[in-house]
Amino acid sequence: MTEMTRLQQRGVRLPRTERRAQLLAAAQRVFAENGYHAAAMDEIAEVAGVSKPVLYQHFPGKLDLYIALLESHVDELVKRVQTALDSTTENRQRVPATVGAFFDFVSEDAGAFRMVFESDLRGEPAVQEAVDRATSASVDAITETITADAGLDEDKARLLAVGLVGMSQVSARFWLQHHQSMSREEAVALTANLAWRGIGGGFPLKDS
């Protein structure tokens, strides 16, 4: 019996955090296949291998489940960006690392990036807030780094950060749709080189 089969059997008791992760994974599959409006809690429970009461113990409704899943994807993206920024003290390497974080996010789980960047529920305030955080938290992290390293005031650093995030996000999404003709490494290098010529050339590392 495989681990997945064991976990999907009804009646198997899991720690709350593991059960929540299992339910989110099932929800991701159903939302990705059917979209939010056509997805049903019955189907999510079935895919997870649990009863509907168990599902509702963790998530009171479909929107709550969707937002929890969306928030987990946003957290993952922000974590990737912060890890990229912390991976080196050399800005020449930070830029491609940061750009690469967006490319990795869109390529490793298409369903996740579509929920974050192409959600069809943006009219829902809680969804819009989570979607906005994907950009704002990434911008905040990059702004802090640029302010410290280049000696710019916060407004100028934030504008550069917004540019880098926007360029990375849009380029990564475009590449995902047309990547057959270009490797991930080449796409990241092209995007990072464009960004670096502006940031690195115009705002060199401040003397300590």
Side-chain angles (χ1 to χ4, degrees):
M1 180 183 298
T2 66
E3 181 69 9
M4 181 59 71
T5 300
R6 184 184 70 80
L7 293 181
Q8 287 185 335
Q9 284 187 330
R10 295 186 185 276
V12 174
R13 300 185 68 85
L14 295 175
R16 185 172 182 82
T17 55
E18 290 185 28
R19 178 67 78 191
R20 181 181 174 88
Q22 179 195 8
L23 297 175
L24 289 174
Q28 176 64 61
R29 175 178 163 185
V30 174
F31 285 135
E33 291 178 355
N34 303 324
Y36 175 81
H37 295 291
M41 293 291 272
D42 299 63
E43 183 177 2
I44 294 171
E46 181 66 28
V47 170
V50 302
S51 64
K52 281 183 66 177
V54 169
L55 179 58
Y56 281 111
Q57 284 175 9
H58 291 263
F59 303 101
K62 185 168 71 170
L63 181 59
D64 301 280
L65 178 52
Y66 183 89
I67 292 172
L69 183 58
L70 176 60
E71 288 281 5
S72 71
H73 292 328
V74 171
D75 289 342
E76 176 61 23
L77 174 59
V78 174
K79 179 181 177 181
R80 286 175 182 267
V81 171
Q82 190 63 65
T83 298
L85 291 169
D86 294 341
S87 65
T88 176
T89 58
E90 296 292 331
N91 284 340
R92 184 66 182 87
Q93 281 74 51
R94 269 192 181 130
V95 171
T98 303
V99 172
F102 284 89
F103 275 77
D104 289 340
F105 180 72
V106 304
S107 63
E108 291 180 8
D109 189 340
F113 103 81
R114 288 193 176 95
M115 283 189 70
V116 175
F117 296 126
E118 300 175 1
S119 174
D120 57 354
L121 288 181
R122 292 198 176 206
E124 179 66 39
V127 172
Q128 184 62 56
E129 182 178 349
V131 170
D132 289 344
R133 186 169 68 83
T135 297
S136 64
S138 299
V139 167
D140 288 345
I142 297 171
T143 298
E144 183 177 349
T145 299
I146 294 176
T147 301
D149 287 355
L152 295 177
D153 64 54
E154 184 175 347
D155 286 343
K156 293 177 182 177
R158 185 168 297 277
L159 181 60
L160 292 176
V162 169
L164 181 58
V165 168
M167 180 188 300
S168 300
Q169 178 195 130
V170 173
S171 297
R173 292 165 62 191
F174 178 84
W175 168 79
L176 185 66
Q177 296 175 348
H178 306 279
H179 71 279
Q180 293 87 349
S181 62
M182 188 183 307
S183 69
R184 178 263 186 203
E185 290 73 21
E186 184 178 4
V188 169
L190 284 169
T191 306
N193 284 339
L194 177 61
W196 176 249
R197 288 179 185 277
I199 295 176
F203 307 98
L205 187 67
K206 179 180 63 174
D207 291 336
S208 57

